[in-house]
Amino acid sequence: ACKENCNANNHPSHWPKVGGSHRQSGRDDDKVVSRGDWRELVLFGNGARENIAPQTQKIIERYCPDAVSLCNSGGGEIIFSVLAPHTHISAHCASTNIRLTAHLGLAVPSYRNDKRCAIRVRDSWYTWEEGEFIIFDDSFEHEVINETDEFRAVLLIRFWHPSIPLDKHNVTIQDILVEREETEKARFVPPLPERFLYVEERGMGNSVC
């Protein structure tokens, strides 16, 4: 069902580009695309559209409720991800390790003439296989390259890190969301000298008159 919903043999040019305005989170993700084209279709999480791939969405809801819960709470997305030929995603890392990321290979280019389609996590390179998962912690540095003339398509699923107990999920995600909000505020409030700390606190919304 997943592969039927994601036909990477023809470029899905109608899909949003990664880093586009279709979702509030990940607005800067396109900055890591150093070459080529990277597109996505959000199934769950910020920017998702109902019934965009109903059969796949039903399967995920049935067998991956933990991942859907993480998406609905603001901790990530479940997406179809398509990498065009001759695309390079530069080294980057996520801001938190509360989750793990799984890639299910849907359409994987054949390796020929020393042209790679692979992902590096830390110091190791991995290749996808159709119908097989690669699972990794995206808080570690990783990059992706597709040097081939074919498209690469995966179903990307983010789910809770197994080291975080179920009863800690809510408080953990709330802490992350608060931290994310504070970081976003800080982007628009330049640091001030210590004697003006109260001005900065007002600007950050941490104090009132």
Side-chain angles (χ1 to χ4, degrees):
C2 295
K3 190 170 182 178
E4 291 172 359
N5 277 310
C6 187
N7 181 9
N9 294 320
N10 298 309
H11 187 198
S13 57
H14 58 291
W15 287 14
K17 286 191 174 185
V18 170
S21 59
H22 57 290
R23 57 186 174 102
Q24 294 300 314
S25 61
R27 287 290 186 88
D28 296 324
D29 287 357
D30 60 316
K31 293 181 179 179
V32 301
V33 182
S34 63
R35 179 176 72 250
D37 189 70
W38 185 19
R39 294 180 183 264
E40 66 181 9
L41 192 65
V42 184
L43 305 182
F44 295 96
N46 191 281
R49 294 163 57 188
E50 290 186 10
N51 298 318
I52 191 66
Q55 189 173 2
T56 298
Q57 287 169 306
K58 286 179 181 178
I59 292 173
I60 293 172
E61 287 177 324
R62 179 176 179 181
Y63 293 104
C64 306
D66 180 76
V68 174
S69 171
L70 178 65
C71 292
N72 291 339
S73 64
E77 297 81 30
I78 297 175
I79 65 174
F80 285 133
S81 172
V82 172
L83 210 63
H86 314 295
T87 296
H88 178 227
I89 309 301
S90 302
H92 61 287
C93 55
S95 59
T96 176
N97 64 349
I98 68 168
R99 67 192 188 191
L100 295 179
T101 298
H103 285 183
L104 173 63
L106 300 176
V108 180
S110 53
Y111 184 87
R112 58 170 67 101
N113 298 326
D114 296 327
K115 293 183 178 181
R116 297 177 300 164
C117 182
I119 181 171
R120 177 181 65 81
V121 182
R122 300 185 71 178
D123 300 323
S124 300
W125 286 91
Y126 304 91
T127 56
W128 297 272
E129 297 287 343
E130 291 188 10
E132 301 290 336
F133 279 101
I134 293 177
I135 299 176
F136 63 99
D137 183 339
D138 70 351
S139 68
F140 290 116
E141 182 183 88
H142 56 287
E143 67 174 307
V144 181
I145 191 165
N146 181 12
E147 299 173 331
T148 75
D149 298 325
E150 303 172 51
F151 291 93
R152 183 235 61 179
V154 300
L155 174 64
L156 184 154
I157 301 174
R158 294 196 170 102
F159 57 96
W160 281 99
H161 197 290
S163 67
I164 301 177
L166 180 61
D167 62 350
K168 299 294 184 182
H169 283 186
N170 286 340
V171 65
T172 299
I173 197 65
Q174 289 306 314
D175 288 345
I176 291 295
L177 293 177
V178 169
E179 181 180 343
R180 184 183 299 171
E181 183 179 358
E182 293 299 317
T183 301
E184 188 67 18
K185 286 181 180 179
R187 293 175 60 193
F188 302 99
V189 180
L192 298 175
E194 187 174 352
R195 65 181 184 277
F196 295 129
L197 182 60
Y198 72 96
V199 177
E200 184 170 335
E201 290 292 307
R202 287 282 302 280
M204 294 289 286
N206 296 329
S207 65
V208 295
C209 294

